[in-house]
PDB file of all heavy atoms in Angstrom:
ATOM      1  N   THR X   1     -29.733 -33.249   1.381  1.00 87.00           N
ATOM      2  CA  THR X   1     -29.159 -32.827   2.653  1.00 87.00           C
ATOM      3  C   THR X   1     -27.681 -33.197   2.732  1.00 87.00           C
ATOM      4  O   THR X   1     -27.303 -34.328   2.447  1.00 87.00           O
ATOM      5  CB  THR X   1     -29.919 -33.477   3.825  1.00 87.00           C
ATOM      6  OG1 THR X   1     -31.303 -33.146   3.695  1.00 87.00           O
ATOM      7  CG2 THR X   1     -29.393 -32.989   5.159  1.00 87.00           C
ATOM      8  N   ALA X   2     -26.861 -32.206   3.069  1.00 82.00           N
ATOM      9  CA  ALA X   2     -25.420 -32.378   3.260  1.00 82.00           C
ATOM     10  C   ALA X   2     -24.746 -33.012   2.027  1.00 82.00           C
ATOM     11  O   ALA X   2     -23.804 -33.781   2.149  1.00 82.00           O
ATOM     12  CB  ALA X   2     -25.129 -33.197   4.504  1.00 82.00           C
ATOM     13  N   ALA X   3     -25.226 -32.670   0.842  1.00 80.00           N
ATOM     14  CA  ALA X   3     -24.694 -33.264  -0.395  1.00 80.00           C
ATOM     15  C   ALA X   3     -23.422 -32.586  -0.893  1.00 80.00           C
ATOM     16  O   ALA X   3     -22.767 -33.078  -1.802  1.00 80.00           O
ATOM     17  CB  ALA X   3     -25.751 -33.222  -1.479  1.00 80.00           C
ATOM     18  N   PHE X   4     -23.072 -31.452  -0.308  1.00 79.00           N
ATOM     19  CA  PHE X   4     -21.866 -30.723  -0.706  1.00 79.00           C
ATOM     20  C   PHE X   4     -21.048 -30.460   0.548  1.00 79.00           C
ATOM     21  O   PHE X   4     -21.611 -30.186   1.614  1.00 79.00           O
ATOM     22  CB  PHE X   4     -22.249 -29.390  -1.370  1.00 79.00           C
ATOM     23  CG  PHE X   4     -21.084 -28.630  -1.919  1.00 79.00           C
ATOM     24  CD1 PHE X   4     -20.614 -28.882  -3.200  1.00 79.00           C
ATOM     25  CD2 PHE X   4     -20.445 -27.664  -1.151  1.00 79.00           C
ATOM     26  CE1 PHE X   4     -19.535 -28.173  -3.709  1.00 79.00           C
ATOM     27  CE2 PHE X   4     -19.366 -26.963  -1.651  1.00 79.00           C
ATOM     28  CZ  PHE X   4     -18.907 -27.211  -2.934  1.00 79.00           C
ATOM     29  N   THR X   5     -19.723 -30.572   0.432  1.00 74.00           N
ATOM     30  CA  THR X   5     -18.866 -30.321   1.583  1.00 74.00           C
ATOM     31  C   THR X   5     -17.857 -29.229   1.257  1.00 74.00           C
ATOM     32  O   THR X   5     -17.106 -29.341   0.281  1.00 74.00           O
ATOM     33  CB  THR X   5     -18.101 -31.598   2.000  1.00 74.00           C
ATOM     34  OG1 THR X   5     -19.058 -32.616   2.304  1.00 74.00           O
ATOM     35  CG2 THR X   5     -17.232 -31.339   3.218  1.00 74.00           C
ATOM     36  N   TYR X   6     -17.876 -28.174   2.052  1.00 73.00           N
ATOM     37  CA  TYR X   6     -16.863 -27.133   1.952  1.00 73.00           C
ATOM     38  C   TYR X   6     -15.641 -27.595   2.737  1.00 73.00           C
ATOM     39  O   TYR X   6     -15.781 -28.092   3.859  1.00 73.00           O
ATOM     40  CB  TYR X   6     -17.346 -25.828   2.591  1.00 73.00           C
ATOM     41  CG  TYR X   6     -18.332 -25.038   1.782  1.00 73.00           C
ATOM     42  CD1 TYR X   6     -19.694 -25.229   1.928  1.00 73.00           C
ATOM     43  CD2 TYR X   6     -17.888 -24.069   0.897  1.00 73.00           C
ATOM     44  CE1 TYR X   6     -20.603 -24.475   1.200  1.00 73.00           C
ATOM     45  CE2 TYR X   6     -18.794 -23.311   0.166  1.00 73.00           C
ATOM     46  CZ  TYR X   6     -20.140 -23.526   0.326  1.00 73.00           C
ATOM     47  OH  TYR X   6     -21.025 -22.769  -0.390  1.00 73.00           O
ATOM     48  N   SER X   7     -14.473 -27.449   2.136  1.00 65.00           N
ATOM     49  CA  SER X   7     -13.253 -27.755   2.878  1.00 65.00           C
ATOM     50  C   SER X   7     -12.166 -26.787   2.437  1.00 65.00           C
ATOM     51  O   SER X   7     -12.112 -26.384   1.278  1.00 65.00           O
ATOM     52  CB  SER X   7     -12.814 -29.200   2.648  1.00 65.00           C
ATOM     53  OG  SER X   7     -12.447 -29.400   1.308  1.00 65.00           O
ATOM     54  N   PHE X   8     -11.348 -26.410   3.383  1.00 58.00           N
ATOM     55  CA  PHE X   8     -10.265 -25.485   3.108  1.00 58.00           C
ATOM     56  C   PHE X   8      -8.999 -26.059   3.718  1.00 58.00           C
ATOM     57  O   PHE X   8      -8.923 -26.237   4.934  1.00 58.00           O
ATOM     58  CB  PHE X   8     -10.558 -24.102   3.712  1.00 58.00           C
ATOM     59  CG  PHE X   8     -11.846 -23.513   3.208  1.00 58.00           C
ATOM     60  CD1 PHE X   8     -12.995 -23.580   3.971  1.00 58.00           C
ATOM     61  CD2 PHE X   8     -11.917 -22.936   1.956  1.00 58.00           C
ATOM     62  CE1 PHE X   8     -14.187 -23.058   3.503  1.00 58.00           C
ATOM     63  CE2 PHE X   8     -13.107 -22.417   1.469  1.00 58.00           C
ATOM     64  CZ  PHE X   8     -14.235 -22.477   2.252  1.00 58.00           C
ATOM     65  N   ASP X   9      -8.043 -26.397   2.859  1.00 58.00           N
ATOM     66  CA  ASP X   9      -6.797 -26.969   3.353  1.00 58.00           C
ATOM     67  C   ASP X   9      -5.975 -25.931   4.111  1.00 58.00           C
ATOM     68  O   ASP X   9      -5.389 -26.224   5.126  1.00 58.00           O
ATOM     69  CB  ASP X   9      -5.975 -27.524   2.194  1.00 58.00           C
ATOM     70  CG  ASP X   9      -6.688 -28.683   1.518  1.00 58.00           C
ATOM     71  OD1 ASP X   9      -7.460 -29.377   2.198  1.00 58.00           O
ATOM     72  OD2 ASP X   9      -6.464 -28.886   0.317  1.00 58.00           O
ATOM     73  N   GLU X  10      -5.934 -24.739   3.603  1.00 70.00           N
ATOM     74  CA  GLU X  10      -5.195 -23.660   4.227  1.00 70.00           C
ATOM     75  C   GLU X  10      -6.031 -22.392   4.105  1.00 70.00           C
ATOM     76  O   GLU X  10      -6.801 -22.246   3.165  1.00 70.00           O
ATOM     77  CB  GLU X  10      -3.868 -23.429   3.506  1.00 70.00           C
ATOM     78  CG  GLU X  10      -2.925 -24.613   3.530  1.00 70.00           C
ATOM     79  CD  GLU X  10      -1.679 -24.360   2.707  1.00 70.00           C
ATOM     80  OE1 GLU X  10      -1.199 -23.217   2.668  1.00 70.00           O
ATOM     81  OE2 GLU X  10      -1.197 -25.311   2.092  1.00 70.00           O
ATOM     82  N   PRO X  11      -5.853 -21.472   5.014  1.00 84.00           N
ATOM     83  CA  PRO X  11      -6.622 -20.229   4.904  1.00 84.00           C
ATOM     84  C   PRO X  11      -6.067 -19.306   3.820  1.00 84.00           C
ATOM     85  O   PRO X  11      -4.886 -19.353   3.491  1.00 84.00           O
ATOM     86  CB  PRO X  11      -6.459 -19.592   6.282  1.00 84.00           C
ATOM     87  CG  PRO X  11      -5.156 -20.125   6.784  1.00 84.00           C
ATOM     88  CD  PRO X  11      -5.040 -21.515   6.208  1.00 84.00           C
ATOM     89  N   TYR X  12      -6.941 -18.494   3.269  1.00 90.00           N
ATOM     90  CA  TYR X  12      -6.512 -17.409   2.393  1.00 90.00           C
ATOM     91  C   TYR X  12      -5.990 -16.314   3.327  1.00 90.00           C
ATOM     92  O   TYR X  12      -6.592 -16.041   4.362  1.00 90.00           O
ATOM     93  CB  TYR X  12      -7.691 -16.870   1.590  1.00 90.00           C
ATOM     94  CG  TYR X  12      -8.141 -17.795   0.480  1.00 90.00           C
ATOM     95  CD1 TYR X  12      -8.824 -18.964   0.756  1.00 90.00           C
ATOM     96  CD2 TYR X  12      -7.879 -17.479  -0.844  1.00 90.00           C
ATOM     97  CE1 TYR X  12      -9.239 -19.808  -0.269  1.00 90.00           C
ATOM     98  CE2 TYR X  12      -8.301 -18.305  -1.874  1.00 90.00           C
ATOM     99  CZ  TYR X  12      -8.968 -19.470  -1.575  1.00 90.00           C
ATOM    100  OH  TYR X  12      -9.376 -20.290  -2.576  1.00 90.00           O
ATOM    101  N   THR X  13      -4.871 -15.699   2.983  1.00 93.00           N
ATOM    102  CA  THR X  13      -4.323 -14.635   3.824  1.00 93.00           C
ATOM    103  C   THR X  13      -4.010 -13.408   2.981  1.00 93.00           C
ATOM    104  O   THR X  13      -3.702 -13.518   1.793  1.00 93.00           O
ATOM    105  CB  THR X  13      -3.034 -15.073   4.536  1.00 93.00           C
ATOM    106  OG1 THR X  13      -2.021 -15.342   3.565  1.00 93.00           O
ATOM    107  CG2 THR X  13      -3.256 -16.298   5.402  1.00 93.00           C
ATOM    108  N   VAL X  14      -4.101 -12.261   3.611  1.00 95.00           N
ATOM    109  CA  VAL X  14      -3.737 -10.989   3.002  1.00 95.00           C
ATOM    110  C   VAL X  14      -2.941 -10.233   4.068  1.00 95.00           C
ATOM    111  O   VAL X  14      -3.462  -9.976   5.159  1.00 95.00           O
ATOM    112  CB  VAL X  14      -4.975 -10.172   2.591  1.00 95.00           C
ATOM    113  CG1 VAL X  14      -4.562  -8.910   1.866  1.00 95.00           C
ATOM    114  CG2 VAL X  14      -5.909 -10.988   1.732  1.00 95.00           C
ATOM    115  N   THR X  15      -1.687  -9.886   3.758  1.00 96.00           N
ATOM    116  CA  THR X  15      -0.806  -9.289   4.755  1.00 96.00           C
ATOM    117  C   THR X  15      -0.169  -8.022   4.220  1.00 96.00           C
ATOM    118  O   THR X  15       0.564  -8.067   3.222  1.00 96.00           O
ATOM    119  CB  THR X  15       0.303 -10.290   5.147  1.00 96.00           C
ATOM    120  OG1 THR X  15      -0.303 -11.533   5.510  1.00 96.00           O
ATOM    121  CG2 THR X  15       1.137  -9.760   6.290  1.00 96.00           C
ATOM    122  N   PRO X  16      -0.429  -6.882   4.876  1.00 97.00           N
ATOM    123  CA  PRO X  16       0.228  -5.648   4.435  1.00 97.00           C
ATOM    124  C   PRO X  16       1.704  -5.678   4.802  1.00 97.00           C
ATOM    125  O   PRO X  16       2.101  -6.307   5.787  1.00 97.00           O
ATOM    126  CB  PRO X  16      -0.516  -4.552   5.204  1.00 97.00           C
ATOM    127  CG  PRO X  16      -1.070  -5.234   6.407  1.00 97.00           C
ATOM    128  CD  PRO X  16      -1.313  -6.666   6.015  1.00 97.00           C
ATOM    129  N   GLY X  17       2.527  -4.980   4.012  1.00 96.00           N
ATOM    130  CA  GLY X  17       3.961  -4.914   4.280  1.00 96.00           C
ATOM    131  C   GLY X  17       4.307  -3.977   5.415  1.00 96.00           C
ATOM    132  O   GLY X  17       5.438  -3.985   5.900  1.00 96.00           O
ATOM    133  N   THR X  18       3.353  -3.162   5.861  1.00 96.00           N
ATOM    134  CA  THR X  18       3.573  -2.205   6.942  1.00 96.00           C
ATOM    135  C   THR X  18       2.256  -1.929   7.635  1.00 96.00           C
ATOM    136  O   THR X  18       1.191  -2.193   7.071  1.00 96.00           O
ATOM    137  CB  THR X  18       4.169  -0.887   6.393  1.00 96.00           C
ATOM    138  OG1 THR X  18       4.480  -0.026   7.479  1.00 96.00           O
ATOM    139  CG2 THR X  18       3.214  -0.192   5.439  1.00 96.00           C
ATOM    140  N   ASP X  19       2.330  -1.387   8.837  1.00 96.00           N
ATOM    141  CA  ASP X  19       1.085  -1.008   9.515  1.00 96.00           C
ATOM    142  C   ASP X  19       0.832   0.495   9.445  1.00 96.00           C
ATOM    143  O   ASP X  19      -0.220   0.972   9.858  1.00 96.00           O
ATOM    144  CB  ASP X  19       1.057  -1.495  10.959  1.00 96.00           C
ATOM    145  CG  ASP X  19       2.188  -0.917  11.804  1.00 96.00           C
ATOM    146  OD1 ASP X  19       3.047  -0.193  11.261  1.00 96.00           O
ATOM    147  OD2 ASP X  19       2.204  -1.195  13.011  1.00 96.00           O
ATOM    148  N   ALA X  20       1.793   1.253   8.878  1.00 97.00           N
ATOM    149  CA  ALA X  20       1.612   2.701   8.697  1.00 97.00           C
ATOM    150  C   ALA X  20       2.466   3.161   7.523  1.00 97.00           C
ATOM    151  O   ALA X  20       3.569   2.653   7.295  1.00 97.00           O
ATOM    152  CB  ALA X  20       2.003   3.448   9.962  1.00 97.00           C
ATOM    153  N   VAL X  21       1.941   4.142   6.776  1.00 97.00           N
ATOM    154  CA  VAL X  21       2.632   4.660   5.597  1.00 97.00           C
ATOM    155  C   VAL X  21       2.218   6.116   5.395  1.00 97.00           C
ATOM    156  O   VAL X  21       1.097   6.497   5.737  1.00 97.00           O
ATOM    157  CB  VAL X  21       2.317   3.802   4.349  1.00 97.00           C
ATOM    158  CG1 VAL X  21       0.847   3.845   4.006  1.00 97.00           C
ATOM    159  CG2 VAL X  21       3.168   4.179   3.168  1.00 97.00           C
ATOM    160  N   ASP X  22       3.110   6.907   4.842  1.00 97.00           N
ATOM    161  CA  ASP X  22       2.766   8.292   4.510  1.00 97.00           C
ATOM    162  C   ASP X  22       1.848   8.309   3.295  1.00 97.00           C
ATOM    163  O   ASP X  22       1.979   7.472   2.387  1.00 97.00           O
ATOM    164  CB  ASP X  22       4.025   9.096   4.196  1.00 97.00           C
ATOM    165  CG  ASP X  22       4.891   9.318   5.426  1.00 97.00           C
ATOM    166  OD1 ASP X  22       4.340   9.379   6.542  1.00 97.00           O
ATOM    167  OD2 ASP X  22       6.130   9.415   5.269  1.00 97.00           O
ATOM    168  N   ALA X  23       0.931   9.262   3.263  1.00 96.00           N
ATOM    169  CA  ALA X  23       0.027   9.414   2.120  1.00 96.00           C
ATOM    170  C   ALA X  23       0.852   9.547   0.845  1.00 96.00           C
ATOM    171  O   ALA X  23       1.819  10.302   0.797  1.00 96.00           O
ATOM    172  CB  ALA X  23      -0.855  10.634   2.311  1.00 96.00           C
ATOM    173  N   GLY X  24       0.511   8.761  -0.157  1.00 96.00           N
ATOM    174  CA  GLY X  24       1.230   8.788  -1.423  1.00 96.00           C
ATOM    175  C   GLY X  24       2.537   8.012  -1.422  1.00 96.00           C
ATOM    176  O   GLY X  24       3.219   7.948  -2.438  1.00 96.00           O
TER     177      GLY X  24
END
């Protein structure tokens, strides 16, 4: 029981360079 601890120092992030783009 509770033998493993998950910890995250910082979040993983994914950020697009724009919120809209033309196809292609």
Side-chain angles (χ1 to χ4, degrees):
T1 304
F4 185 86
T5 301
Y6 284 91
S7 65
F8 302 100
D9 296 331
E10 298 175 35
Y12 286 73
T13 64
V14 184
T15 308
T18 185
D19 61 356
V21 63
D22 291 330

